[in-house]
Amino acid sequence: MRFVTAIWKLLVGIKDMLVLLLMLLFFAMLYALLSARPAPVTEGVLALDLRGVIVEQPSRPGLSELAAGQQRMREFSRRDLVAALDEAREDNRVKAVALDLEGFVGGGQAAVGDVADAIRRVRDSGKPVLAYSIGYTDSGYQLASAASEIWLNPLGAVVITGPGGARLYFQGLLDQLGITPHIYRVGTHKSAVEPFTRSDMSDEAREDAQAIGDALLETWTETVARARPKARLQPYVRDLAAVVEASGGDFGRAALNAGMVDTLADRRAYESRLAELGGEDRSAAGGYQRIKFDSYVSDRVKHNPRAAIGVVTVAGTIVDGQAPPGTAGGDSIAELIEKELADDGLKALIVRVDSPGGSVLASERIRQAIMAAKDKEMPVVVSMGNVAASGGYWVSTPADFIYAEPSTITGSIGVFGILPSFEGTRQKLGIGADGIKTTPLSGEPDVLRGPSPEVERLLQAGVESVYRRFLAIVSESRGKPPAEIDRIAQGRVWAGGAARQIGLIDGFGGMDEAVVKAAELADLGEGDRQVRYLDRPRSLRESLLEMFASGEESGGTPDGFAAFAAPQRQFAAALADLRMILAGPTIQARCLECPAASVPKPQPGDAGLLAALRAWLW
């Protein structure tokens, strides 16, 4: 008995010691977090090591990601990059800017274009901007073209692929699995459902995709040609094989001969050049005096919490309820707007939209919050980023003025819903299904035996009702008859240039133009044109998780050619689309066919017939 008692005391002692150690570790980390300060900014080279992706609003790490040991690709805030580069122009401590693009993934043509414009402004101020990579693709080269010097590893390459590529079509697979996708739609150009009903692309979908791809390539070519006029872009893009063969099969030499790059050299030579410009520091990475991006943003990029112009960001998939940054939670964004409307200091509202849409209910929740600003006679200006389609356009409709870039993807005003049923799967497996009904809607939607005719009629009626609602909102916003909106709607996706011609947007421009317009509409003077971003502050939990995740970020390119193909991402996106239909009724209103449209994470929702009646996609 004494032995058992001793063992018990030992176990209790070990437990108490572990609890004490965990508490000490927690408080040590908490102290480190609260007392952490960014490295001081001294003279040198502003190092932008862009190993990751440029986004409108970075997401925050979740506990599940850390627990699973998942690596995070770093997300760089577009607005922080632009602000830091604009500050660097006038900052005497910054002697040069270094763009390390070796692990750069992209970020959407409009967002990358904004950062490229900021790089060009630094270059035009007389400060050297150097870009380096072992391989440049479309987005990376768009950034690099704005630099004063483009360096390429001799074993690397510049490969411009342009928009385009294949997507998977699942009709044959669904037939083999016995899954029946029930489609409810309005709009002849709403091609998002095609992967579930066809084995190839329809003529309407091809027409849309080709028009958008051609428009994006034209915009990219014009932008790069202006930034780097000596580059012989057309022959390089149209027949790279001939250019490379003329250079003896040497990709690096081909890029140099075509004026695409200035210098072929390894990283050591590139870093020696940076040391010449910014000062030598053998104790630092690369051997040159480096100003870290995060430290520079903390030191120089300030936001006025009392500014008269508020900016609310609608980024990512629009979902119901609360959601962290990087995903547009309807309640989260609406509550931010409603909270700020109580402040008499707010005189104008800018809505920055970079979203392919999502939940129709959440989109309407955000729109109603914006309408509350309009009710207070507050001017509202929308600034569209890479994509503002479907639900992204829905939330834009209250604006007094809508800006977009020529490369912005917008429109997609059409409605559809998808409801899968598994009667074929059940029969293949030899499983029966039977039951009773007390009303025509009992047990509906019946995914085991297929939805009843009554449910089919209800779903189609709901789709048509939402479409009419969408047309009415756009008609009122754009001052055009519903019939005219219907003609340009039908689910069709438009690039910014075409969208302006048909009146879906009012002008070309980015955030700078939106700020000027908001100040003009609010009768604000030159000194009152600062903005405050209506962001949800980080919680202590999020700050701790971010500290843990800071070492988990990744985004590298092993060689000059691995960056030119992303079959893993393409296949993963296709599988995510398939998971969406297999998940059954979802409350969605998004543009699946929009370029770079992110796949939403599963969200809790209603079950049964009510969920099906609300499962509208447009």
Side-chain angles (χ1 to χ4, degrees), residues 50 52-54 99 101 104-113 115-116 119 135-146 158-163 220 224 386 563-564 569 596:
L50 301 182
V53 61
I54 296 174
L99 296 174
L101 300 172
F104 182 59
V105 176
Q109 195 165 311
V112 171
V115 178
I119 294 170
Y136 293 102
T137 54
D138 303 35
S139 295
Y141 193 77
Q142 186 177 358
L143 288 181
S145 67
V158 179
V159 177
I160 308 303
T161 60
W220 183 92
V224 172
N386 298 309
F564 308 142
R569 290 196 297 272

Side-chain angles (χ1 to χ4, degrees), residues 10-73:
L10 177 63
L11 292 175
V12 171
I14 293 173
K15 182 262 294 181
D16 291 342
M17 183 176 65
L18 290 175
V19 170
L20 179 61
L21 286 174
L22 288 173
M23 289 181 63
L24 290 174
L25 180 62
F26 171 78
F27 284 111
M29 290 187 300
L30 182 60
Y31 173 78
L33 176 67
L34 296 176
S35 60
R37 295 289 186 273
V41 175
T42 57
E43 287 190 355
V45 176
L46 177 59
L48 301 184
D49 298 334
L50 301 182
R51 294 179 179 271
V53 61
I54 296 174
V55 299
E56 190 61 40
Q57 187 178 60
S59 61
R60 296 175 186 172
L63 184 59
S64 60
E65 292 176 285
L66 295 180
Q70 296 176 352
Q71 285 192 323
R72 282 178 57 82
M73 178 177 292

Side-chain angles (χ1 to χ4, degrees), residues 250-270:
D250 189 325
F251 279 80
R253 183 61 57 183
L256 184 66
N257 292 341
M260 301 292 285
V261 301
D262 300 300
T263 305
L264 296 178
D266 60 21
R267 180 174 288 277
R268 291 179 60 187
Y270 168 72

Side-chain angles (χ1 to χ4, degrees), residues 429-445:
L429 296 175
I431 299 174
D434 205 352
I436 68 162
K437 284 179 175 287
T438 56
T439 75
L441 301 181
S442 294
E444 297 291 347

Side-chain angles (χ1 to χ4, degrees), residues 216-383:
L216 291 177
L217 180 60
E218 181 181 1
T219 302
W220 183 92
T221 303
E222 291 175 352
T223 300
V224 172
R226 285 197 303 269
R228 192 172 178 83
K230 66 179 180 181
R232 294 186 288 279
L233 275 177
Q234 288 300 333
Y236 196 89
V237 172
R238 297 300 178 187
D239 196 353
L240 177 59
V243 176
V244 172
E245 288 169 357
S247 300
D250 189 325
F251 279 80
R253 183 61 57 183
L256 184 66
N257 292 341
M260 301 292 285
V261 301
D262 300 300
T263 305
L264 296 178
D266 60 21
R267 180 174 288 277
R268 291 179 60 187
Y270 168 72
E271 291 171 344
S272 296
R273 169 66 172 151
L274 294 177
E276 292 176 9
L277 296 171
E280 188 174 329
D281 184 355
R282 295 189 179 276
S283 64
Y288 63 93
Q289 293 187 22
R290 175 190 297 256
I291 302 173
K292 293 184 177 180
F293 170 70
D294 290 334
S295 298
Y296 194 73
V297 169
S298 178
D299 182 70
R300 292 286 295 193
V301 179
K302 308 297 181 184
H303 300 292
N304 182 359
R306 305 305 305 167
I309 302 174
V311 180
V312 65
T313 303
V314 181
T317 303
I318 301 174
V319 300
D320 293 306
Q322 302 287 337
T327 301
D331 288 343
S332 302
I333 294 173
E335 288 169 8
L336 283 174
I337 297 173
E338 290 162 355
K339 177 183 175 182
E340 294 297 327
L341 290 181
D343 183 355
D344 292 335
L346 191 67
K347 304 300 182 185
L349 181 66
I350 296 175
V351 184
R352 176 69 176 182
V353 182
D354 192 4
S355 171
S359 164
V360 62
L361 298 177
S363 300
E364 179 63 9
R365 174 82 170 95
I366 296 171
R367 191 186 78 90
Q368 288 296 334
I370 298 171
M371 290 299 295
K374 297 273 290 183
D375 291 341
K376 295 186 66 173
E377 299 185 351
M378 183 181 296
V380 175
V381 177
V382 163
S383 172

